């Protein structure tokens, strides 16, 4: 597997802080108000960036990574809320695919999550990157990683009834606010990607207790997987 430049995206500073600390020969530049850090990570050419929160920020960030920096693989890392009831705080979800749960044209006859008049609305992650992430997860956090569907929307979910629907109706493993838009941009550009999310909360209304306390721990876990993945390349 040969990737020239790997783009690594986090939505928040906590999610890229450890990555930047290990970046050698660092140089930065700004595009569309977003700072991109070029350099070498575990001997590989990477560009690390904080997209900001939400699908539009993440989509713009991803397109810039591809157009300006020539990223030929993209890894999105960070935290998420667990939707699958078997997941606990600190568990890792590796994306098999991703879907925008807040796309809803059901009054027009489209299933929830389907973008009208598009052939594809659920975006599969790259099988090679999934395998790398799974192998890294087994080495770093054995028994704490699953591969499943990541749901994204411009909403912070904190309602048990909504969580139940996301799990039962859409088959989601976790929910966050960026991944599926990154996946869509990668799909449109034929660029392999994978999303790696560590659970910071249960998306059930307890986030005011869980989120701040566990975000740093969860971000550290996501970093550990990405670090091990890059070594595996």
């Amino acid at each position: 597997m040969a990737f020239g430049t790997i783009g690594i995206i986090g939505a928040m500073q906590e999610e890229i802080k450890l990555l930047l600390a290990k970046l050698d020969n660092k140089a930065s530049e700004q595009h569309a108000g977003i700072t991109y850090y070029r350099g070498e990570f575990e001997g590989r050419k990477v560009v690390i960036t904080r997209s900001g929160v939400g699908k539009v920020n993440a989509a713009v960030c991803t397109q810039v990574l591809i157009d300006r920096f020539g990223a030929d693989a993209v890894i999105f890392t960070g935290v998420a809320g667990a939707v699958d009831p078997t997941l606990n705080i600190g568990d890792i979800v590796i994306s098999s695919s991703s879907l925008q749960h807040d796309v809803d044209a059901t009054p027009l006859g489209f299933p929830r999550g389907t973008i009208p008049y598009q052939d594809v609305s659920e975006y599969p992650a790259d099988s090679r990157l999934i395998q790398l992430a799974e192998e890294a997860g087994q080495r770093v956090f054995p028994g704490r990683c699953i591969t499943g569907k990541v749901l994204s929307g411009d909403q912070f979910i904190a309602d048990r009834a909504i969580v139940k629907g996301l799990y039962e109706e859409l088959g989601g493993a976790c929910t966050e606010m960026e991944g599926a838009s990154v996946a869509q941009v990668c799909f449109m550009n034929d660029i392999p990607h994978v999303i790696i999310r560590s659970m910071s909360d249960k998306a059930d209304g307890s986030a005011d207790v869980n989120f701040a306390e566990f975000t740093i721990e969860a971000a550290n876990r996501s970093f550990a997987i990405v670090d091990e993945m890059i070594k595996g390349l």
Side-chain angles (χ1 to χ4, degrees):
M1 184 189 305
F3 294 123
T5 299
I6 302 167
I8 305 175
I9 308 172
M12 300 184 298
Q13 193 63 33
E14 293 90 340
E15 294 168 336
I16 67 167
K17 182 178 179 180
L18 291 176
L19 292 165
L20 290 177
K22 287 192 68 171
L23 188 63
D24 296 322
N25 302 316
K26 186 189 304 180
S28 66
E29 53 189 272
Q30 277 201 344
H31 299 284
I34 299 171
T35 303
Y36 298 81
Y37 300 90
R38 292 181 286 109
E40 295 179 357
F41 187 95
E42 300 289 357
R44 296 283 174 178
K45 286 177 62 178
V46 302
V47 181
I48 300 170
T49 184
R50 179 179 68 85
S51 64
V53 174
K55 294 192 300 181
V56 173
N57 281 329
V60 170
C61 177
T62 305
Q63 192 65 55
V64 170
L65 271 177
I66 294 167
D67 287 345
R68 294 259 184 177
F69 297 97
D72 50 17
V74 174
I75 300 171
F76 198 105
T77 177
V79 303
V83 169
D84 184 331
T86 67
L87 287 169
N88 293 307
I89 291 171
D91 287 350
I92 306 287
V93 172
I94 299 160
S95 66
S96 55
S97 64
S98 56
L99 181 76
Q100 297 176 59
H101 68 76
D102 60 346
V103 172
D104 190 349
T106 51
L108 299 178
F110 295 94
R112 182 181 174 189
T114 297
I115 301 170
Y117 316 117
Q118 283 195 188
D119 292 335
V120 177
S121 296
E122 182 174 335
Y123 303 101
D126 180 73
S127 60
R128 299 163 298 168
L129 293 175
I130 292 172
Q131 183 179 350
L132 270 176
E134 289 174 339
E135 291 170 352
Q138 284 303 319
R139 289 193 294 270
V140 180
F141 302 116
R144 299 295 301 274
C145 300
I146 71 164
T147 301
K149 187 190 299 184
V150 173
L151 302 178
S152 306
D154 285 321
Q155 304 163 356
F156 192 99
I157 305 298
D159 184 291
R160 287 182 176 86
I162 294 175
V163 169
K164 185 179 180 184
L166 293 177
Y167 179 65
E168 295 180 353
E169 182 183 347
L170 297 178
C174 66
T175 182
E176 36 87 304
M177 299 177 69
E178 297 87 21
S181 59
V182 171
Q184 181 176 349
V185 173
C186 287
F187 178 83
M188 294 168 72
N189 288 274
D190 196 25
I191 298 293
H193 82 281
V194 71
I195 302 161
I196 299 166
R197 293 289 195 174
S198 180
M199 302 304 100
S200 61
D201 63 271
K202 301 277 279 184
D204 61 359
S206 61
D208 58 331
V209 176
N210 291 339
F211 189 74
E213 182 178 352
F214 291 108
T215 290
I216 293 175
E217 177 189 343
N220 290 348
R221 285 173 172 262
S222 293
F223 159 78
I225 299 283
V226 174
D227 184 37
E228 193 71 14
M229 280 183 71
I230 303 297
K231 290 176 185 175
L233 288 170

